[in-house]
mmCIF file of all heavy atoms in Angstrom:
data_model
loop_
_atom_site.group_PDB
_atom_site.id
_atom_site.type_symbol
_atom_site.label_atom_id
_atom_site.label_comp_id
_atom_site.label_asym_id
_atom_site.label_seq_id
_atom_site.Cartn_x
_atom_site.Cartn_y
_atom_site.Cartn_z
ATOM 1 N N GLY A 278 -4.609 51.739 25.650
ATOM 2 C CA GLY A 278 -5.486 52.570 24.824
ATOM 3 C C GLY A 278 -6.572 53.248 25.671
ATOM 4 O O GLY A 278 -6.460 53.412 26.864
ATOM 5 N N ARG A 279 -7.628 53.645 24.989
ATOM 6 C CA ARG A 279 -8.604 54.492 25.599
ATOM 7 C C ARG A 279 -9.341 53.760 26.744
ATOM 8 O O ARG A 279 -9.476 54.326 27.876
ATOM 9 C CB ARG A 279 -9.672 54.954 24.554
ATOM 10 C CG ARG A 279 -10.752 55.835 25.145
ATOM 11 C CD ARG A 279 -11.840 56.195 24.154
ATOM 12 N NE ARG A 279 -12.973 56.766 24.803
ATOM 13 C CZ ARG A 279 -14.165 56.857 24.242
ATOM 14 N NH1 ARG A 279 -14.353 56.387 23.006
ATOM 15 N NH2 ARG A 279 -15.165 57.372 24.917
ATOM 16 N N LEU A 280 -9.824 52.555 26.503
ATOM 17 C CA LEU A 280 -10.530 51.811 27.599
ATOM 18 C C LEU A 280 -9.601 51.564 28.715
ATOM 19 O O LEU A 280 -9.966 51.650 29.878
ATOM 20 C CB LEU A 280 -11.115 50.536 27.048
ATOM 21 C CG LEU A 280 -11.877 49.704 28.086
ATOM 22 C CD1 LEU A 280 -13.048 50.447 28.668
ATOM 23 C CD2 LEU A 280 -12.324 48.360 27.526
ATOM 24 N N ALA A 281 -8.353 51.252 28.428
ATOM 25 C CA ALA A 281 -7.363 51.006 29.454
ATOM 26 C C ALA A 281 -7.194 52.229 30.386
ATOM 27 O O ALA A 281 -7.125 52.057 31.629
ATOM 28 C CB ALA A 281 -6.003 50.634 28.882
ATOM 29 N N GLN A 282 -7.226 53.399 29.826
ATOM 30 C CA GLN A 282 -7.149 54.634 30.613
ATOM 31 C C GLN A 282 -8.337 54.790 31.488
ATOM 32 O O GLN A 282 -8.230 55.169 32.712
ATOM 33 C CB GLN A 282 -6.934 55.818 29.713
ATOM 34 C CG GLN A 282 -5.583 55.858 28.964
ATOM 35 C CD GLN A 282 -5.498 56.998 27.999
ATOM 36 O OE1 GLN A 282 -6.501 57.538 27.571
ATOM 37 N NE2 GLN A 282 -4.238 57.346 27.623
ATOM 38 N N LEU A 283 -9.527 54.557 30.958
ATOM 39 C CA LEU A 283 -10.711 54.681 31.724
ATOM 40 C C LEU A 283 -10.741 53.679 32.886
ATOM 41 O O LEU A 283 -11.082 54.007 34.008
ATOM 42 C CB LEU A 283 -11.961 54.447 30.837
ATOM 43 C CG LEU A 283 -12.312 55.541 29.846
ATOM 44 C CD1 LEU A 283 -13.292 55.050 28.830
ATOM 45 C CD2 LEU A 283 -12.823 56.773 30.551
ATOM 46 N N LEU A 284 -10.367 52.453 32.643
ATOM 47 C CA LEU A 284 -10.323 51.444 33.658
ATOM 48 C C LEU A 284 -9.309 51.748 34.747
ATOM 49 O O LEU A 284 -9.517 51.472 35.925
ATOM 50 C CB LEU A 284 -10.071 50.093 33.042
ATOM 51 C CG LEU A 284 -11.191 49.479 32.177
ATOM 52 C CD1 LEU A 284 -10.742 48.187 31.541
ATOM 53 C CD2 LEU A 284 -12.487 49.216 32.990
ATOM 54 N N SER A 285 -8.195 52.376 34.322
ATOM 55 C CA SER A 285 -7.204 52.795 35.336
ATOM 56 C C SER A 285 -7.804 53.847 36.240
ATOM 57 O O SER A 285 -7.561 53.856 37.452
ATOM 58 C CB SER A 285 -6.003 53.354 34.596
ATOM 59 O OG SER A 285 -5.051 53.830 35.524
ATOM 60 N N GLY A 286 -8.629 54.731 35.682
ATOM 61 C CA GLY A 286 -9.313 55.754 36.503
ATOM 62 C C GLY A 286 -10.249 55.153 37.490
ATOM 63 O O GLY A 286 -10.301 55.500 38.667
ATOM 64 N N LEU A 287 -11.016 54.170 36.995
ATOM 65 C CA LEU A 287 -11.975 53.487 37.884
ATOM 66 C C LEU A 287 -11.232 52.714 38.947
ATOM 67 O O LEU A 287 -11.620 52.728 40.143
ATOM 68 C CB LEU A 287 -12.846 52.526 37.058
ATOM 69 C CG LEU A 287 -13.794 51.598 37.817
ATOM 70 C CD1 LEU A 287 -14.819 52.429 38.591
ATOM 71 C CD2 LEU A 287 -14.482 50.639 36.906
ATOM 72 N N ASP A 288 -10.166 52.031 38.572
ATOM 73 C CA ASP A 288 -9.345 51.295 39.558
ATOM 74 C C ASP A 288 -8.797 52.209 40.657
ATOM 75 O O ASP A 288 -8.842 51.890 41.818
ATOM 76 C CB ASP A 288 -8.232 50.561 38.814
ATOM 77 C CG ASP A 288 -7.582 49.455 39.619
ATOM 78 O OD1 ASP A 288 -8.284 48.515 40.070
ATOM 79 O OD2 ASP A 288 -6.356 49.542 39.835
ATOM 80 N N GLY A 289 -8.317 53.345 40.185
ATOM 81 C CA GLY A 289 -7.814 54.331 41.173
ATOM 82 C C GLY A 289 -8.916 54.848 42.109
ATOM 83 O O GLY A 289 -8.668 55.075 43.289
ATOM 84 N N ALA A 290 -10.114 55.025 41.561
ATOM 85 C CA ALA A 290 -11.245 55.450 42.368
ATOM 86 C C ALA A 290 -11.540 54.445 43.503
ATOM 87 O O ALA A 290 -11.770 54.784 44.645
ATOM 88 C CB ALA A 290 -12.464 55.713 41.544
ATOM 89 N N LEU A 291 -11.527 53.172 43.116
ATOM 90 C CA LEU A 291 -11.786 52.094 44.127
ATOM 91 C C LEU A 291 -10.695 52.122 45.204
ATOM 92 O O LEU A 291 -10.984 51.932 46.398
ATOM 93 C CB LEU A 291 -11.832 50.744 43.422
ATOM 94 C CG LEU A 291 -12.959 50.538 42.460
ATOM 95 C CD1 LEU A 291 -12.843 49.168 41.765
ATOM 96 C CD2 LEU A 291 -14.315 50.601 43.177
ATOM 97 N N ALA A 292 -9.458 52.354 44.794
ATOM 98 C CA ALA A 292 -8.388 52.418 45.798
ATOM 99 C C ALA A 292 -8.526 53.652 46.719
ATOM 100 O O ALA A 292 -8.286 53.584 47.906
ATOM 101 C CB ALA A 292 -7.034 52.520 45.074
ATOM 102 N N GLU A 293 -9.044 54.750 46.157
ATOM 103 C CA GLU A 293 -9.296 55.933 46.961
ATOM 104 C C GLU A 293 -10.372 55.697 47.994
ATOM 105 O O GLU A 293 -10.313 56.143 49.157
ATOM 106 C CB GLU A 293 -9.675 57.116 46.078
ATOM 107 C CG GLU A 293 -8.542 57.638 45.196
ATOM 108 C CD GLU A 293 -7.456 58.381 45.906
ATOM 109 O OE1 GLU A 293 -7.589 58.566 47.149
ATOM 110 O OE2 GLU A 293 -6.465 58.701 45.286
ATOM 111 N N PHE A 294 -11.415 54.987 47.573
ATOM 112 C CA PHE A 294 -12.468 54.623 48.575
ATOM 113 C C PHE A 294 -11.898 53.811 49.709
ATOM 114 O O PHE A 294 -12.189 54.048 50.883
ATOM 115 C CB PHE A 294 -13.601 53.822 47.887
ATOM 116 C CG PHE A 294 -14.483 54.611 47.004
ATOM 117 C CD1 PHE A 294 -14.801 54.176 45.725
ATOM 118 C CD2 PHE A 294 -15.057 55.799 47.495
ATOM 119 C CE1 PHE A 294 -15.679 54.944 44.905
ATOM 120 C CE2 PHE A 294 -15.898 56.535 46.687
ATOM 121 C CZ PHE A 294 -16.222 56.119 45.426
ATOM 122 N N GLU A 295 -11.085 52.824 49.352
ATOM 123 C CA GLU A 295 -10.518 51.955 50.371
ATOM 124 C C GLU A 295 -9.655 52.746 51.342
ATOM 125 O O GLU A 295 -9.803 52.610 52.571
ATOM 126 C CB GLU A 295 -9.675 50.824 49.715
ATOM 127 C CG GLU A 295 -9.130 49.880 50.749
ATOM 128 C CD GLU A 295 -8.229 48.807 50.044
ATOM 129 O OE1 GLU A 295 -7.642 49.150 48.967
ATOM 130 O OE2 GLU A 295 -8.151 47.686 50.530
ATOM 131 N N SER A 296 -8.740 53.514 50.836
ATOM 132 C CA SER A 296 -7.831 54.233 51.716
ATOM 133 C C SER A 296 -8.546 55.387 52.453
ATOM 134 O O SER A 296 -8.310 55.618 53.654
ATOM 135 C CB SER A 296 -6.670 54.825 50.905
ATOM 136 O OG SER A 296 -7.132 55.728 49.943
ATOM 137 N N GLY A 297 -9.512 56.066 51.772
ATOM 138 C CA GLY A 297 -10.157 57.187 52.406
ATOM 139 C C GLY A 297 -11.131 56.778 53.473
ATOM 140 O O GLY A 297 -11.332 57.509 54.504
ATOM 141 N N LEU A 298 -11.761 55.628 53.311
ATOM 142 C CA LEU A 298 -12.770 55.183 54.308
ATOM 143 C C LEU A 298 -12.093 54.540 55.532
ATOM 144 O O LEU A 298 -12.686 54.452 56.581
ATOM 145 C CB LEU A 298 -13.706 54.170 53.677
ATOM 146 C CG LEU A 298 -14.780 54.812 52.773
ATOM 147 C CD1 LEU A 298 -15.447 53.768 51.907
ATOM 148 C CD2 LEU A 298 -15.843 55.537 53.620
#
Side-chain angles (χ1 to χ4, degrees):
R279 181 184 167 198
L280 180 61
Q282 292 176 340
L283 289 167
L284 291 174
S285 177
L287 174 62
D288 196 57
L291 294 175
E293 294 287 354
F294 284 132
E295 181 183 31
S296 61
L298 283 165

